[in-house]
Amino acid sequence: MAEPNEINTYRNEVVWNHTAGAMVFNNTTGQESVSIAHRGGASLVFGNQTSSEFHPNNKQSMVQGDRYSTVKGDRYDMTYNGREDRVLGDLKIITGSPAFIYGPVASLYLEKQAEIAAAQCSPEDGRLGIGNNTGTEIAPGADVESVMLEKEKELIEVAQNMGEGGNIQLLSCKHINIQAGTAGVTFDSGIVKPEGRVVSKRYTYTGLGSSPQLGTPAPPTTTPLPPIPVGVSTLGLVNLELALIPHYEEVNTTSTIPFGDITLNASTKINMQAGSGGIDIKSAGSMKFAGSGLTSVGGAQVNIGAGGVNGTGCVYILSKFTEIKSSTGVNITAPATMIESLDVTITGNTIINGDLVVGKNLIVTGKITAGIDVVAGGVSLRFHTHPVIGGTITSIPISIPSV
């Protein structure tokens, strides 16, 4: 017995058969379709819900003008072998809602979030702080939770206008290679002048007794710079000797090359992680690594070196306050080392293998222990004369405890 709908179902099919293939028109109610099949197996089917095509071998498509494709749902492409997309012009990939890309949604969100960030940076010790990027004064004691609750509703409303998605996920089971331009351009990006900068080399004291010196002067390659008188100490005249050291001058020799740049911009954060193979970054030009916040460099061993043609190179460390800590001591070795600071505080022991020259007063809150002798103003503390009873001058050696 036929179902109730059977009497309303129209059944009809028209088939055109030829040597090259066949065309089938299925006119059955609810199943209308048109299919074209080639004798080699290729087929093209148009149905009520789905259109499909099958190619048992190769497929070629050429468009002389522009091509437009719009998918309202999801899209999936699968390739079992290699794939190459070659674009002779520019390639642009954009993800996310147009309201976020072309509208004010992002700036509105950051404007609301800025007030939360300012509250989070509020000092907790009761003292005024200064923002490291904005330079604005941030008062202490802000109620962060209250500010976040106040702005939460506004942030949700703005975030809803951002739309769904907008992320790019790139996954490779093996290697990823990103290259811009050809091989690395190794033009000279600057010059190193072996005697390009004048620095303070050492202080010399001339006058009473011997002339102790701070540092060992390196053999000059040119005419030495004349010393500058800077004062007078108990040892005599104090002169500051200057020296010429290498200095690098940068020149952008690749600014006119119209290819080869790679630019990464992140609004908030860039995360990089590598396995035990490490990270290797090399450049034929200058490298700049800086941040307006805390910059941390750590490892099992940290090496900082400067060199170049003929071994020329210098390391400059510039800071208002510098602190160097070590559990086993600090060793600084250089042909001529000059450390200039307002105040230097050393918690542990200080060992100096050479001379210690003090231009002004030497203030000691503890005791001074000398292994051999102490000479002040040319007078020996160990071998000096004392008046005795009767007016006779006698040399009395002073016993010094051994160190």
Side-chain angles (χ1 to χ4, degrees):
M1 180 177 179
E3 295 183 4
N5 296 356
E6 266 320 294
I7 59 175
N8 298 324
T9 301
Y10 173 75
R11 298 181 182 278
N12 178 263
E13 186 176 79
V14 178
V15 180
W16 293 351
N17 282 320
H18 296 276
T19 303
M23 180 178 293
V24 179
F25 296 87
N26 185 2
N27 300 315
T28 303
T29 304
Q31 301 178 12
E32 294 84 357
S33 64
V34 178
S35 63
I36 302 175
H38 187 267
R39 63 176 296 180
S43 64
L44 178 62
V45 179
F46 299 95
N48 293 332
Q49 300 295 329
T50 304
S51 298
S52 64
E53 56 180 317
F54 172 71
H55 304 272
N57 296 303
N58 299 330
K59 177 186 176 181
Q60 180 177 341
S61 175
M62 178 177 291
V63 180
Q64 291 293 107
D66 298 331
R67 173 181 172 180
Y68 302 92
S69 176
T70 301
V71 179
K72 292 296 184 68
D74 297 331
R75 173 176 172 175
Y76 302 92
D77 293 329
M78 180 178 291
T79 303
Y80 283 90
N81 292 319
R83 171 173 174 171
E84 178 179 337
D85 292 334
R86 180 170 296 187
V87 181
L88 301 183
D90 297 332
L91 175 64
K92 180 185 293 185
I93 299 176
I94 301 176
T95 65
S97 170
F100 183 87
I101 299 173
Y102 304 107
V105 176
S107 59
L108 289 175
Y109 192 93
L110 294 178
E111 181 181 346
K112 306 296 181 183
Q113 189 68 37
E115 300 182 29
I116 298 178
Q120 291 175 330
C121 291
S122 177
E124 299 179 355
D125 57 0
R127 289 180 290 182
L128 184 70
I130 299 177
N132 63 322
N133 286 321
T134 61
T136 58
E137 296 183 352
I138 301 177
D143 189 349
V144 181
E145 295 183 359
S146 299
V147 176
M148 294 181 66
L149 289 174
E150 179 184 353
K151 297 298 177 182
E152 183 178 6
K153 182 179 179 180
E154 300 178 9
L155 288 174
I156 293 176
E157 293 177 354
V158 176
Q160 288 176 348
N161 296 326
M162 293 183 181
E164 298 292 335
N167 303 317
I168 295 179
Q169 297 182 8
L170 181 63
L171 174 63
S172 174
C173 294
K174 291 188 178 178
H175 306 296
I176 296 179
N177 179 30
I178 300 177
Q179 179 175 329
T182 58
V185 179
T186 57
F187 294 166
D188 286 334
S189 59
I191 58 173
V192 178
K193 293 185 176 180
E195 297 178 345
R197 183 172 178 178
V198 179
V199 297
S200 302
K201 182 172 68 173
R202 65 173 184 171
Y203 288 101
T204 59
Y205 297 81
T206 58
L208 300 175
S210 60
S211 300
Q213 297 178 344
L214 176 60
T216 302
T221 58
T222 59
T223 304
L225 297 173
I228 301 175
V230 294
V232 178
S233 72
T234 56
L235 295 175
L237 183 64
V238 182
N239 294 323
L240 173 61
E241 291 190 2
L242 304 177
L244 294 170
I245 63 173
H247 184 69
Y248 178 78
E249 293 184 359
E250 181 180 6
V251 180
N252 189 355
T253 57
T254 59
S255 60
T256 58
I257 298 179
F259 59 84
D261 292 348
I262 295 178
T263 302
L264 297 176
N265 291 324
S267 297
T268 53
K269 184 186 296 184
I270 293 179
N271 294 322
M272 297 178 61
Q273 182 175 349
S276 57
I279 298 177
D280 189 4
I281 301 176
K282 295 181 180 179
S283 173
S286 298
M287 296 181 63
K288 299 176 177 63
F289 183 79
S292 57
L294 177 64
T295 301
S296 300
V297 178
Q301 178 174 316
V302 178
N303 297 334
I304 299 176
V309 181
N310 299 326
T312 58
C314 292
V315 176
Y316 298 99
I317 300 177
L318 305 176
S319 175
K320 184 175 182 179
F321 302 103
T322 302
E323 182 181 52
I324 300 176
K325 289 184 178 180
S326 176
S327 58
T328 58
V330 178
N331 184 15
I332 300 176
T333 303
T337 302
M338 176 61 64
I339 300 177
E340 296 182 1
S341 175
L342 296 178
D343 295 296
V344 177
T345 301
I346 301 176
T347 304
N349 298 327
T350 301
I351 300 175
I352 301 175
N353 293 323
D355 295 331
L356 173 62
V357 179
V358 181
K360 294 184 179 180
N361 299 326
L362 176 62
I363 301 174
V364 180
T365 58
K367 66 178 181 178
I368 297 179
T369 301
I372 300 177
D373 196 1
V374 176
V375 178
V379 179
S380 169
L381 181 61
R382 183 175 183 180
F383 299 101
H384 65 284
T385 58
H386 290 268
V388 295
I389 299 175
T392 303
I393 304 300
T394 307
S395 177
I396 303 177
I398 305 299
S399 177
I400 304 296
S402 62
V403 179

